[in-house]
Structure formats: C-alpha cells, structure tokens
Amino acid sequence: MSAIDVALGILLAAVVFGAALLARHLKARPVRAGWGYGHAGLAVLGVLALGWPVFTTPTPLVVNAALLMFAFAVLGGVFVLLFRLQGERPPLFMVALHAVFAAVGVVLLGLGVLAGG
C-alpha cells in the first residue's frame, strides 16, 4: 500500500463526512462546529498525506492535479469556516464549490491510483 493509497482513504473519509454535513446544511439543520472541525481535520491530514509523495517522488500528472483541486477545496473550506466563526450560515454556492472541488480531487486521485501512482 503506497502513501497515495493512504491519502486516498483518508480523503474519501473526509468527503463522506463532508457529504453528511452538506446534507444537513441543505435540510437547513444546524451543523455542529465539532463536526466541521472533524471534517477539516481529516481533510488536512489527507492533503498532507498526499502532498508528501507529490513533492518527494515522481507522481502522475493526474495526482498532481488532484492535489491542486484539494488546495482549492481547502480555500473554500477556509471561506466556509470564516462564516461559521461569525455565527452565520455560509452561502450555499461556496459550500457547493468547496464540495465540487473536493469531489473532483477524489475522482482525479482515484484515477491516479488506478494509473499506478
């Protein structure tokens, strides 16, 4: 099992956790801060686990593109966090962009794993 496989597993867990939070957000139910921090912690751990092999070993271009998508997802997550810290609901378009970038990142990373990355 490679470091990229481990990163994919962690990031998949973060995406599933995030999907559950998005479902709550779409139903206008409150999202507890601790759940958001747990999602963020998993995501940061996964991005760091992916960044290590990307920056230290040759990896397929699709894996590098996945890391870029996750970087954009992190920026969106920080934006969402800033709204949460102010006690406001973040705009739905930003939550959706954050989710789309993360989902595209997981798909690209999965393709990279399948390509032997």
Side-chain angles (χ1 to χ4, degrees):
M1 182 176 286
S2 72
I4 294 176
D5 294 334
V6 171
L8 177 60
I10 295 169
L11 288 164
L12 274 173
V15 167
V16 169
F17 197 179
L21 296 178
L22 177 61
R24 289 189 66 84
H25 184 84
L26 291 175
K27 291 181 182 178
R29 292 184 175 167
V31 176
R32 294 186 178 150
W35 295 354
Y37 297 145
H39 165 69
L42 271 175
V44 167
L45 181 64
V47 170
L48 290 175
L50 179 60
W52 181 257
V54 165
F55 288 110
T56 59
T57 60
T59 55
L61 184 61
V62 70
V63 175
N64 297 348
L67 184 60
L68 179 64
M69 291 297 108
F70 288 123
F72 288 140
V74 167
L75 289 175
V78 169
F79 185 86
V80 169
L81 174 64
L82 292 175
F83 271 84
R84 294 284 185 204
L85 290 175
Q86 294 176 3
E88 300 176 17
R89 287 180 54 130
L92 185 58
F93 81 91
M94 199 62 216
V95 174
L97 276 176
H98 168 69
V100 166
F101 277 121
V104 169
V106 166
V107 168
L108 289 173
L109 187 54
L111 291 173
V113 167
L114 290 175

